[in-house]
Amino acid sequence: MAVSTQVKFFYDILSPYAWLGFETLCRYQKPWDLDLQLKPMNLGFIMKESGNKPPGMNPSKASMLARDVKRASEMVGVPYKPVNDFAKTVFIRGSVPTLKDFDSLSNSLS
């Protein structure tokens, strides 16, 4: 019997690329026999610690990101609709409260 391929998917819930990757991995989890392990993380923290800035802080990168996510969405066949107020969602609300909920849920299921 073949052993499943282990895939650890580290993702930030606010990343459009993470959404596309998550949906694609879930779609192919059974056909590809994947042992999919979801690992939520905070990309904003990593960017801050590395001195990097999110693409949304640079108008040229933000414009390219919007086009690229649309193209990638069509390529993998995953519908994607950007949030109405991206800046408010990312910079004010952020992902930390939801990540804490994920962590609590994960610990209660263990």
Side-chain angles (χ1 to χ4, degrees):
M1 177 180 224
V3 176
S4 296
T5 301
Q6 185 181 77
V7 175
K8 292 182 182 179
F9 181 60
F10 292 83
Y11 65 98
D12 187 313
I13 60 170
L14 296 177
S15 168
Y17 293 107
W19 170 252
L20 298 175
F22 170 81
E23 285 292 320
T24 302
L25 286 169
C26 287
R27 177 189 307 157
Y28 294 110
Q29 184 175 5
K30 285 185 180 176
W32 291 349
D33 193 23
L34 301 177
D35 173 15
L36 184 57
Q37 298 176 16
L38 302 176
K39 305 286 186 179
M41 57 87 168
N42 185 327
L43 187 57
F45 176 79
I46 293 171
M47 287 193 175
K48 180 180 176 185
E49 290 299 309
S50 68
N52 200 353
K53 293 187 192 270
M57 300 299 290
N58 177 315
S60 296
K61 287 183 180 180
S63 173
M64 179 59 197
L65 177 103
R67 290 191 309 269
D68 189 53
V69 169
K70 182 179 184 304
R71 178 197 58 79
S73 167
E74 292 167 356
M75 183 178 80
V76 297
V78 173
Y80 175 74
K81 180 178 180 242
V83 294
N84 290 332
D85 191 344
F86 186 77
K88 180 180 178 184
T89 301
V90 172
F91 301 116
I92 297 172
R93 191 175 319 149
S95 61
V96 173
T98 304
L99 291 172
K100 286 181 180 179
D101 289 343
F102 281 174
D103 189 49
S104 295
L105 180 60
S106 174
N107 289 334
S108 70
L109 296 174
S110 299

